[in-house]
Amino acid sequence: MRLAGKKIVLGLTGGIACYKVAELTRGLTKAGASVHIVMTQSATQFITPVTMQALSGNTVYTDQWDARIPNNMPHIDLTRGADAIVIAPCSTNFIAKLAHGACDDLLSTLCVARPHHVPLLIAPAMNVEMWLNPATQRNVTQVKADGIKVLGPAAGEQACGEVGMGRMLEADQLLTEIIASFQAKTLAGKSVLITAGPTFEPIDPVRGITNLSSGKMGYAIAQAAWEAGADVTLISGPTALDAPYGVRKVQTQTAQQMHDAVMVELAAHHQHVFIAVAAVADWRVANASSQKIKKTSDSDTPQLQFAQNPDILASVAALAEPPYCVGFAAESENLLEYGAVKRAKKNVPLLVGNIGHHTFGKDENELVLFDVNGHKALPRADKHTLAIQLIQEITQRISK
Ligand code: C5P
């Protein structure tokens, strides 16, 4: 319920992407928002007000002379008390109108008449040539300069059969952007590097050694850091999760690959924060076979030998000018004792402890933060809530 208590005015203009806004409306209401739909006449050609009313549970407005508003001023009343106005899809024509402050229907008038503190977000959707047209680009530059947030568009196949920029973002991406727009940008201008998930150490081309980490905690932290305005790179081991929206993901398999990818990122860009969430294998198979190992007899068992993997966190913490390093410790018992010891051993300013078998694969977790002043518990909650709290804790520590 990340949008609980929020009033969103959702404007639809003409475009085939209107069908995606049905799903967006469901997502917004499921997230706790009250959604108030305003449609242009063109939008009603693509999806009906009946559908949008059923999905939002609120009256849909299409006409600036709608007498259902007591004072007959829907262009004023609809945005009073709103937390945001979102225009999705936003047509080429509507961007042009916004750029010039035109007021020739309810939605355009309502945008111009909105209180100055109500954010306006637009999700452009149009043919690639319309998007690339110099007039459109001029208008996009102008609306950005006026403080309107432009979400997307994305590139890809278009309804007209052409391919290129101009596709509206998907409903889940828009929902993520809208949720993020309400988060304080406490990490704006900061780069955050995160490892997440398990590693996989091959025994032969079809077998390997891994662990039960799902990657959910690390991915949630990456998402929370992006929502706080950071530039986020996620170095992930094998997981079943989609890359968090807005985050650059680098896929790795083994601990050595994860280590090397982290070092490449640190060399390429200045990273302010490094959060090692991955459950990295301590050992790899030293005598991994390049061919599948065959069972040759009933008594025969392969003899595996192990070599130690590099400790990624310790290597980063040992750099001459390390980023602010945050480690994770998955223990099975004695968390308070082991956590404090591990923080000292890894030489990191902040270590986050959890109980491995209580968290691996689950949607909930509880964390204990260890720093120079002692420890602090973040009580049981879903991983997204904990991720937001952890990012706030890190932000406070790096801003001191
Ligand atoms: O020593 P232990 O594996 O319990 O330490 C856990 C912390 O160290 C986690 O932050 C994990 O991501 C990190 N780690 C690492 N490289 C390793 C082993 C652990 O970065 N080879």
Side-chain angles (χ1 to χ4, degrees):
M1 297 295 267
R2 305 252 342 247
L3 294 175
K6 300 281 188 229
K7 176 182 172 183
I8 310 251
V9 174
L10 179 56
L12 284 76
T13 69
I16 189 63
C18 279
Y19 80 92
K20 296 184 184 175
V21 180
E23 199 61 44
L24 173 63
T25 305
R26 277 173 58 87
L28 289 166
T29 52
K30 270 192 184 165
S34 71
V35 182
H36 301 267
I37 306 273
V38 178
M39 301 173 72
T40 64
Q41 283 306 319
S42 303
T44 64
Q45 297 287 322
F46 293 90
I47 194 164
T48 68
V50 174
T51 303
M52 297 313 296
Q53 183 171 347
L55 290 171
S56 67
N58 286 312
T59 310
V60 172
Y61 293 92
T62 58
D63 179 8
Q64 61 183 328
W65 312 119
D66 194 318
R68 289 171 297 178
I69 296 275
N71 62 3
N72 215 320
M73 294 188 199
H75 69 289
I76 304 291
D77 282 24
L78 288 173
T79 63
R80 298 311 183 254
D83 295 287
I85 303 173
V86 180
I87 311 293
C90 190
S91 65
T92 323
N93 179 50
F94 203 79
I95 296 175
K97 292 209 287 188
L98 287 174
H100 292 91
C103 299
D104 63 356
D105 61 6
L106 174 57
L107 189 57
S108 54
T109 310
L110 165 159
C111 286
V112 176
R114 75 188 186 280
H116 64 276
H117 62 269
V118 176
L120 175 54
L121 293 76
I122 63 170
M126 66 198 67
N127 166 271
V128 53
E129 299 298 347
M130 294 174 87
W131 174 254
L132 293 176
N133 185 285
T136 309
Q137 288 303 310
R138 256 196 326 271
N139 291 333
V140 170
T141 304
Q142 183 60 55
V143 298
K144 283 183 181 168
D146 292 343
I148 295 173
K149 176 130 176 79
V150 180
L151 310 177
E157 265 185 41
Q158 305 202 311
C160 53
E162 295 183 6
V163 178
M165 284 293 280
R167 272 177 68 96
M168 192 175 79
L169 296 184
E170 300 304 323
D172 58 340
Q173 297 174 327
L174 288 175
L175 182 59
T176 306
E177 287 274 14
I178 294 165
I179 290 171
S181 75
F182 290 111
Q183 298 299 310
K185 301 298 170 211
T186 49
L187 287 180
K190 303 275 190 238
S191 294
V192 177
L193 182 63
I194 300 172
T195 65
T199 60
F200 180 93
E201 306 296 328
I203 295 172
D204 68 18
V206 294
R207 304 184 183 96
I209 297 173
T210 186
N211 60 63
L212 290 174
S213 167
S214 62
K216 285 179 184 170
M217 191 72 239
Y219 278 52
I221 293 168
Q223 185 76 74
W226 173 78
E227 285 179 9
D231 178 23
V232 184
T233 306
L234 175 65
I235 315 284
S236 178
T239 71
L241 305 172
D242 291 332
Y245 177 75
V247 168
R248 193 167 71 84
K249 177 174 151 177
V250 179
Q251 185 67 53
T252 60
Q253 188 183 53
T254 65
Q256 185 67 52
Q257 288 170 0
M258 188 176 270
H259 169 274
D260 295 349
V262 164
M263 294 306 160
V264 165
E265 292 304 324
L266 285 168
H269 317 277
H270 177 61
Q271 300 288 342
H272 299 89
V273 179
F274 174 59
I275 315 176
V277 197
V280 185
D282 289 318
W283 305 282
R284 67 178 170 276
V285 180
N287 57 341
S289 168
S290 59
Q291 299 300 330
K292 186 180 172 191
I293 302 171
K294 295 285 187 201
K295 190 167 99 174
T296 50
S297 76
D298 284 350
S299 57
D300 182 33
T301 55
Q303 300 299 308
L304 298 183
Q305 284 155 16
F306 291 94
Q308 261 200 27
N309 276 325
D311 188 317
I312 305 167
L313 176 59
S315 321
V316 175
L319 292 172
E321 287 182 37
Y324 183 85
C325 286
V326 182
F328 264 69
E331 302 295 350
S332 60
E333 58 174 1
N334 290 345
L335 184 57
L336 290 188
E337 188 189 326
Y338 292 165
V341 171
K342 188 160 286 182
R343 188 183 85 81
K345 190 176 137 221
K346 300 262 180 183
N347 192 26
V348 293
L350 182 62
L351 187 111
V352 184
N354 55 16
I355 298 290
H357 56 282
H358 290 175
T359 175
F360 278 8
K362 307 251 165 59
D363 289 329
E364 290 198 337
N365 198 2
E366 53 189 303
L367 303 176
V368 183
L369 275 46
F370 299 88
D371 68 7
V372 68
N373 298 317
H375 67 266
K376 171 181 181 180
L378 299 184
R380 190 155 199 83
D382 65 89
K383 287 181 175 174
H384 285 284
T385 304
L386 288 171
I388 293 168
Q389 291 171 355
L390 178 60
I391 288 298
Q392 284 166 354
E393 295 280 347
I394 293 171
T395 307
Q396 283 164 15
R397 285 168 175 79
I398 63 172
S399 357
K400 271 180 192 162

